[in-house]
Amino acid sequence: MLYHPSWKPDIRQDTLWRDSLHIKDITQVHYIHFLPDDIVLTAFTEKQTDRYLVKSERKDADRFTLYFSYGDATLPRVSGLNFNAENAFIVEPTVNQDTITYWLRDTMLVNTDTLQVTVEYLMTDSLGVLQATTDTLELLPKVPYERRVKLFNEEVEKWEKQQERNRKRSRQVNNDRPGVFFDPGYKVPSSIDPDQNISFMVPRPLAEIDTAAIHLYEKQDTLWYRSQYLFGERAGYPRHYQLIAEWKPGTEYSFEVDSAAMTDIYGHTMKAYKQGFKVKSTDEYSTIMVTIDALANDTIQAVVQLLSNGDKVIKEMTTNQGIATFYYIKPGTYYLRAFIDNDGDGLWDTGEYDKQQQAESVYYYPQKIECRAKWDVPVKWDLSKTPLYQQKPRELVKQKGDTQKKTLTNRNAERARKLGIQYIRK
């Protein structure tokens, strides 16, 4: 779009206050009004598209990680120089495939302090074209093998001494020898939301998982009955597992896992686990019903996000009808943000300066939303009613302006300075 700057003489009113209640004078100030005065320039940071290997890292002996500046559909090819790399790894790429972790299957490789590998991958050349390149890497763990063995033996010795003391004092003996079991890191609180799922993350890739050893029970009156559920690994999140069920509000459940239900690639198993929890009642929540008339069009897809005070996304919904309803919202203060999803991928995409392509448009609902239990909060949102630069609520602005308290004295002093008058504070 092409703009033609112009100007014109104009007049504005300026009020001088004697005190907080009385006006001393109203003057007319002549000034030059530059036009247009309604332009909002939006800025964005372009997505990194130059691909190169940022670094390689082997924090722990059982895996190493390659970090790239940008992901690619084709994963690197890793070959071993001092070992046979065929079927030697379990490969875990991130969603964007810019960070790739290689787990070592063989404990002999885990105990090898130096792994020499070649990495063949696509890298952007000086002309911006992806070209095949090869790097040779030496991967060393932060703690060498001898030191790891020494630390493990010290841990075992400490455990054995503790068990001996327990036996002498007729206390319960802990038979969980170090290095045998692993902790899946269950995230099962005592109470959950009706739309919340049970999740856990295992520390290492699993070699075997027995889903028949995972149980969910539902309490009806005073009796417990088996409850149906779906269980599996989260797409794009390696080693993250979820148990999904249609929870009944106000109902008690029990999540139970038999011992040795999971075994990792190094033969470690887990202990039995049991956790009871209750699904909260719907009376504890609010519902936010958002209507955006400007988006009531099948050809326009938008993502509407519910935000916390810290600008964190609590929930989000994709809509092409301009209607987004957020259920099971805890009492509190919330905010709304929406962006036009032009390519329909559900993600906000930045623009490209070379192509003169703008980033996907982002809007903020200018007011905060107060939610109370058992309340339905309707929100009608006109995206263009408030100028873009005034939409974002101050609570969400990270770089706030002058935070000096705007007292009457400060305002009068500012007015006096503009008029060239010496203002004396008393």
Side-chain angles (χ1 to χ4, degrees):
M1 185 176 293
L2 187 63
Y3 294 98
H4 297 280
S6 61
W7 63 274
K8 68 175 182 177
D10 211 336
I11 300 174
R12 64 169 175 260
Q13 305 290 338
D14 197 357
T15 304
L16 295 179
W17 293 81
R18 186 184 308 276
D19 51 39
S20 60
L21 298 176
H22 301 90
I23 296 175
K24 180 179 180 181
D25 193 12
I26 298 178
T27 62
Q28 291 186 339
V29 180
H30 294 265
Y31 73 101
I32 297 176
H33 191 161
F34 292 96
L35 299 170
D37 61 356
D38 58 351
I39 300 174
V40 177
L41 298 179
T42 58
F44 54 84
T45 301
E46 280 192 277
K47 185 183 294 185
Q48 170 64 260
T49 56
D50 290 340
R51 190 169 193 262
Y52 54 90
L53 179 62
V54 177
K55 66 175 181 178
S56 59
E57 191 174 57
R58 191 183 175 191
K59 284 186 177 181
D60 297 296
D62 52 9
R63 62 188 179 275
F64 63 88
T65 304
L66 304 179
Y67 298 88
F68 291 88
S69 61
Y70 192 74
D72 190 83
T74 303
L75 293 177
R77 180 181 177 185
V78 179
S79 303
L81 295 178
N82 61 343
F83 67 97
N84 183 8
E86 184 178 355
N87 200 32
F89 312 120
I90 292 178
V91 183
E92 284 186 358
T94 57
V95 176
N96 298 324
Q97 299 203 149
D98 55 0
T99 303
I100 307 162
T101 299
Y102 296 82
W103 290 86
L104 304 174
R105 294 178 182 270
D106 192 345
T107 53
M108 289 290 292
L109 295 180
V110 174
N111 297 333
T112 302
D113 281 343
T114 302
L115 296 179
Q116 297 176 338
V117 300
T118 59
V119 182
E120 300 175 46
Y121 62 96
L122 296 176
M123 184 179 73
T124 307
D125 62 13
S126 58
L127 299 177
V129 180
L130 286 174
Q131 298 287 352
T133 187
T134 302
D135 284 345
T136 301
L137 306 174
E138 281 195 352
L139 304 165
L140 289 79
K142 292 188 177 297
V143 182
Y145 174 68
E146 289 187 4
R147 177 64 176 165
R148 296 198 306 273
V149 171
K150 182 179 178 181
L151 292 174
F152 178 74
N153 290 335
E154 289 177 354
E155 185 180 0
V156 172
E157 184 179 354
K158 182 179 178 181
W159 172 81
E160 289 175 344
K161 290 180 178 179
Q162 181 62 48
Q163 306 321 306
E164 184 63 27
R165 286 194 294 268
N166 291 342
R167 279 190 288 269
K168 289 181 179 179
R169 298 174 184 177
S170 299
R171 294 178 180 176
Q172 184 176 0
V173 176
N174 180 12
N175 294 319
D176 298 340
R177 188 180 182 85
V180 176
F181 300 101
F182 67 85
D183 181 12
Y186 297 105
K187 294 182 179 179
V188 187
S190 58
S191 61
I192 67 172
D193 301 327
D195 59 349
Q196 187 178 348
N197 297 316
I198 293 175
S199 63
F200 61 88
M201 177 183 177
V202 294
R204 300 176 185 86
L206 296 179
E208 184 180 359
I209 181 167
D210 183 7
T211 55
I214 299 174
H215 315 282
L216 180 67
Y217 298 98
E218 174 187 336
K219 189 175 183 181
Q220 299 179 10
D221 296 328
T222 58
L223 301 177
W224 291 92
Y225 297 90
R226 287 186 178 274
S227 183
Q228 293 184 341
Y229 63 87
L230 297 176
F231 177 81
E233 191 172 7
R234 288 184 64 188
Y237 296 88
R239 295 176 285 114
H240 284 72
Y241 293 86
Q242 276 190 332
L243 184 144
I244 303 173
E246 292 187 6
W247 309 115
K248 298 177 182 178
T251 302
E252 292 184 39
Y253 291 85
S254 179
F255 173 59
E256 302 177 15
V257 183
D258 298 340
S259 61
M262 291 174 273
T263 306
D264 69 18
I265 57 176
Y266 304 119
H268 302 148
T269 59
M270 49 151 292
K271 295 182 291 185
Y273 177 83
K274 180 178 180 180
Q275 174 64 47
F277 60 94
K278 185 175 182 179
V279 181
K280 295 179 181 179
S281 170
T282 54
D283 291 341
E284 300 182 38
Y285 302 95
S286 177
T287 301
I288 301 176
M289 299 171 290
V290 184
T291 303
I292 309 174
D293 292 336
L295 302 181
N297 188 328
D298 290 342
T299 62
I300 301 177
Q301 179 168 300
V303 176
V304 183
Q305 298 174 325
L306 185 68
L307 308 176
S308 66
N309 281 320
D311 205 12
K312 179 182 177 181
V313 177
I314 304 298
K315 293 185 179 183
E316 68 177 23
M317 287 191 63
T318 300
T319 176
N320 55 12
Q321 299 291 334
I323 297 175
T325 304
F326 297 99
Y327 299 98
Y328 307 121
I329 306 302
K330 298 177 182 178
T333 303
Y334 298 91
Y335 303 86
L336 286 173
R337 178 173 63 203
F339 65 86
I340 307 302
D341 189 16
N342 294 322
D343 57 1
D345 64 351
L347 303 173
W348 180 81
D349 297 311
T350 184
E352 293 186 41
Y353 288 106
D354 289 342
K355 296 182 180 180
Q356 297 185 353
Q357 178 180 325
Q358 288 281 357
E360 292 180 336
S361 301
V362 180
Y363 303 91
Y364 280 87
Y365 185 66
Q367 301 172 14
K368 61 184 178 182
I369 301 171
E370 297 288 349
C371 292
R372 299 181 182 179
K374 297 191 290 186
W375 277 39
D376 290 342
V377 183
V379 177
K380 285 193 172 292
W381 188 0
D382 186 344
L383 299 180
S384 59
K385 184 177 181 180
T386 304
L388 279 177
Y389 64 92
Q390 295 179 350
Q391 287 187 2
K392 193 169 185 178
R394 184 172 177 80
E395 293 84 351
L396 302 183
V397 177
K398 295 181 180 178
Q399 293 183 341
K400 296 180 173 61
D402 186 8
T403 57
Q404 182 183 14
K405 186 177 180 181
K406 300 298 183 181
T407 63
L408 175 64
T409 302
N410 289 333
R411 291 197 299 269
N412 283 339
E414 181 66 23
R415 295 189 186 102
R417 280 192 294 270
K418 289 181 179 179
L419 296 174
I421 302 172
Q422 185 178 4
Y423 187 91
I424 301 175
R425 298 187 181 183
K426 295 183 179 180

